[in-house]
Amino acid sequence: MTAIASESVKDESGHKVESVPFQFTGKGFEYFKIAIVNIILTILTLGIYSAWAKVRTTQYFYGNTLLKDAGFRYTAKPLTILYGRIIALVAFVVFLVCQRFMPNAASVMMLGLFALMPVIIVRSMAFDLANSVHRNVRFGFKKDYTRAYKVFLLPFVLLFAPILAVVFLVFGGSDASANGEVGAVLMAASTLLFIACIPFFKYLATKFMVDSCRYGTSAFQYTGGAGGFYKLYLGTFLVGLVMALIAIAVVMVSGSGATLASYAALAGSQSDAINPILLGASIVPMLLGGLMLLACYCLVFAFFSAKRFNLIYNNSQLDGENQLSANMPVFGLTALYMSNMLILSLTLGLGFAWVRVRSARYQLAHLTLEPVYSLDEYVAAQQSKVGSLGEQMGEVFDMEIGI
């Protein structure tokens, strides 16, 4: 099993406290057996078993995620998840019917769903965390709907308001031609401004999600600023630009190589039949070009994923003292992505279980918790506090909504 070696930090008294690595002990074949049964039963029950499948899958990954040799537990009831999915399915069917026979009502439903998205996000997070337990201490999620609307809905309002103003300007004015030119400029400016603000919006969403999480009576805090997200997106853009230039060069070179090899095959042929060896040589450059393109894509995606993983966890604390630490390497994650794609290709998709297990093991192998004092003492203190306040299970109306 891959894991980060424990390191030592010092608490306020100068005593050494070991960093605690996360570990994942699951195995591909174990999860494959669970997943296959889940798929078969979900198909046979026309999707009803999907709620039980989610619980079984989540319990497997939680149970095999260890922190200080103690696994996590997922305590959600399948029926509660099933109720939420039934509600979502009924709403979706009603929307399809309205879209066919009452388009205006369907539009109102879409606007209503859009307006309720922050509430759905908060309650879904509250459900998942309220059913997540480590060492008999339950996680939680603070339901701050006002802040959720500011974080998740306000950015879209800021985007669509200028666009609606432009539409009104173009179609509502007397001089449509002049207004159209002004409107085009305003729309382009508002779109560029929105794109420039995306890292800031992502920062607000991340801070909201981390700050709302609880472990027992203790809160998580996100200590980073918006600058880290601007560096992340700018770095990804630059890496993507370089990889795009490399991809263009690879396509040109491989295409030229394939063309030259094809001409050689035709020129060297003494009959109407083309030399298969030379013809095969024309395909090799194209295959190499395809592999290079795949590597470029994986590198860009791995750069964003690894840097984002490190950014979020390196700036997350529990109780203002216990620091999470991440050191995921970009090239290591790139190799993982490429090998996972190879596994899926060679197994015709049946290796999905091994891919998911490998990904979970790799992520957790690059994540540690650095407590200011013994983790056992900290957890014991949380157990005592929760015990005195009573275990909070979350509201009865919290449920996962999704299909």
Side-chain angles (χ1 to χ4, degrees), residues 208-282:
F208 169 75
M209 298 296 278
V210 174
D211 289 352
S212 299
C213 293
R214 302 287 186 269
Y215 177 65
T217 61
S218 296
F220 285 84
Q221 299 89 30
Y222 185 77
T223 59
F229 282 85
Y230 276 96
K231 291 179 182 178
L232 168 66
Y233 280 85
L234 180 59
T236 303
F237 172 76
L238 294 177
V239 171
L241 181 61
V242 172
M243 290 299 103
L245 295 176
I246 293 176
I248 293 173
V250 167
V251 169
M252 294 177 63
V253 172
S254 61
S256 300
T259 302
L260 291 176
S262 298
Y263 286 152
L266 291 172
S269 175
Q270 301 299 322
S271 62
D272 293 336
I274 298 176
N275 189 322
I277 297 178
L278 293 176
L279 184 59
S282 69

Side-chain angles (χ1 to χ4, degrees), residues 47 50-51 79-97 109-110 113 116-117 120 124 397 399-403:
S50 64
L79 282 177
T80 306
I81 297 176
L82 182 62
Y83 294 152
R85 294 186 175 183
I86 290 175
I87 291 173
L89 180 61
V90 170
F92 182 67
V93 171
V94 171
F95 170 76
L96 292 180
V97 173
M109 287 186 65
M110 283 295 295
L113 177 62
L116 287 174
M117 281 307 298
I120 294 175
S124 180
F397 293 108
M399 59 181 63
E400 181 194 78
I401 300 180
I403 299 178

Side-chain angles (χ1 to χ4, degrees), residues 52 55 72 106 137 204 234 298 310 317 352 365 372 388 398:
W52 281 262
V55 171
F72 291 74
V137 178
L204 292 179
L234 180 59
C298 288
N310 295 337
Q317 294 180 347
F352 68 93
V372 293
S388 63
D398 285 341

Side-chain angles (χ1 to χ4, degrees), residues 95-130:
F95 170 76
L96 292 180
V97 173
C98 290
Q99 192 176 41
R100 178 66 177 85
F101 299 102
M102 296 178 289
N104 292 335
S107 299
V108 172
M109 287 186 65
M110 283 295 295
L111 290 175
L113 177 62
F114 181 72
L116 287 174
M117 281 307 298
V119 175
I120 294 175
I121 292 173
V122 169
R123 300 193 80 86
S124 180
M125 285 295 299
F127 176 81
D128 280 337
L129 286 177

Side-chain angles (χ1 to χ4, degrees), residues 165-174 176 179-180:
V166 169
V167 172
F168 177 79
L169 177 67
V170 173
F171 294 100
S174 56
N179 290 338

Side-chain angles (χ1 to χ4, degrees), residues 202-385:
K202 291 294 185 181
Y203 157 71
L204 292 179
T206 300
K207 184 169 177 59
F208 169 75
M209 298 296 278
V210 174
D211 289 352
S212 299
C213 293
R214 302 287 186 269
Y215 177 65
T217 61
S218 296
F220 285 84
Q221 299 89 30
Y222 185 77
T223 59
F229 282 85
Y230 276 96
K231 291 179 182 178
L232 168 66
Y233 280 85
L234 180 59
T236 303
F237 172 76
L238 294 177
V239 171
L241 181 61
V242 172
M243 290 299 103
L245 295 176
I246 293 176
I248 293 173
V250 167
V251 169
M252 294 177 63
V253 172
S254 61
S256 300
T259 302
L260 291 176
S262 298
Y263 286 152
L266 291 172
S269 175
Q270 301 299 322
S271 62
D272 293 336
I274 298 176
N275 189 322
I277 297 178
L278 293 176
L279 184 59
S282 69
I283 300 177
V284 172
M286 297 181 65
L287 292 177
L288 292 177
L291 290 176
M292 284 295 296
L293 291 177
L294 179 62
C296 290
Y297 168 78
C298 288
L299 180 59
V300 175
F301 190 63
F303 179 88
F304 179 81
S305 300
K307 295 297 183 181
R308 182 177 180 271
F309 182 87
N310 295 337
L311 173 65
I312 292 176
Y313 285 106
N314 284 331
N315 289 284
S316 297
Q317 294 180 347
L318 174 60
D319 212 9
E321 299 175 319
N322 305 288
Q323 177 69 51
L324 288 167
S325 178
N327 64 344
M328 183 177 291
V330 173
F331 291 109
L333 189 60
T334 303
L336 176 71
Y337 286 159
M338 295 190 67
S339 60
N340 282 345
M341 288 184 179
L342 181 62
I343 291 174
L344 290 175
S345 300
L346 295 178
T347 61
L348 301 178
L350 292 177
F352 68 93
W354 284 264
V355 167
R356 184 168 180 183
V357 166
R358 293 177 80 237
S359 299
R361 182 181 294 116
Y362 189 82
Q363 284 189 341
L364 291 174
H366 293 89
L367 182 64
T368 61
L369 174 65
E370 298 179 356
V372 293
Y373 56 94
S374 171
L375 181 62
D376 294 329
E377 296 177 13
Y378 181 81
V379 172
Q382 286 299 312
Q383 292 172 343
S384 177
K385 292 178 182 178

